[in-house]
């Protein structure tokens, strides 16, 4: 069983460090990732990425596009084999990510949400 509070804290710390290996350490190889930002950064109408290789490329583009990226964690909401992280994201927008976890406690699916500005 994953300690979801510790997971959420570690996830934000990884992003704030901008260390791509540390960021990716939270994700399963077979990750499925949905985000409106994928639509914009990857020019992918579906907003969907599959696999850790594609996720790495996307995250590297995002880190390059937002060199001052810093997340401020507000809440960690716990579910059954899942967690929702509510935080301040890029351009001070409010964000929430639903993360479904596998048996090893790695993220196997993400649904990212952002408050329109």
């Amino acid at each position: 069983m994953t300690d979801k509070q510790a997971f959420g804290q570690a996830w934000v710390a990884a992003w704030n460090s901008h260390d791509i290996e540390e960021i990716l350490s939270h994700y399963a190889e077979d990750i499925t990732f949905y985000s409106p930002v994928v639509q914009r950064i990857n020019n992918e109408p579906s907003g969907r990425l599959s696999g850790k290789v594609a996720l790495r490329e996307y995250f590297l583009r995002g880190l390059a596009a937002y060199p001052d990226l810093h997340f401020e964690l507000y809440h960690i909401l716990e579910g059954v084999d899942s967690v929702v992280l509510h935080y301040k994201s890029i351009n001070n927008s409010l964000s929430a990510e639903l993360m479904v976890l596998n048996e090893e406690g790695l993220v196997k699916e993400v649904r990212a949400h952002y408050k329109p500005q």
Side-chain angles (χ1 to χ4, degrees):
M1 183 161 182
T2 301
D3 178 340
K4 294 174 182 127
Q5 296 297 312
F7 172 89
Q9 295 289 340
W11 183 89
V12 169
W15 274 103
N16 288 342
S17 76
H18 293 211
D19 180 338
I20 191 66
E21 297 308 323
E22 188 62 28
I23 293 166
L24 289 170
S25 74
H26 295 94
Y27 297 89
E29 291 296 328
D30 61 347
I31 179 74
T32 304
F33 188 93
Y34 297 89
S35 173
V37 180
V38 169
Q39 293 172 315
R40 188 172 66 248
I41 290 181
N42 279 28
N43 195 28
E44 172 54 54
S46 71
R48 181 179 184 267
L49 295 173
S50 295
K52 206 168 183 178
V53 171
L55 192 65
R56 171 188 290 276
E57 293 169 7
Y58 166 68
F59 284 169
L60 286 171
R61 275 192 209 104
L63 289 168
Y66 300 99
D68 296 329
L69 178 90
H70 180 82
F71 294 161
E72 183 179 337
L73 185 62
Y74 294 135
H75 303 286
I76 300 168
L77 308 173
E78 298 185 27
V80 176
D81 298 326
S82 65
V83 62
V84 172
L85 302 181
H86 177 226
Y87 60 97
K88 184 166 48 172
S89 182
I90 54 177
N91 300 323
N92 291 320
S93 64
L94 290 179
S95 303
E97 291 194 29
L98 165 64
M99 301 177 179
V100 180
L101 307 174
N102 67 14
E103 306 77 38
E104 290 84 40
L106 298 174
V107 181
K108 67 179 183 178
E109 183 176 332
V110 171
R111 300 278 179 155
H113 302 80
Y114 301 91
K115 183 177 181 182
Q117 296 212 10

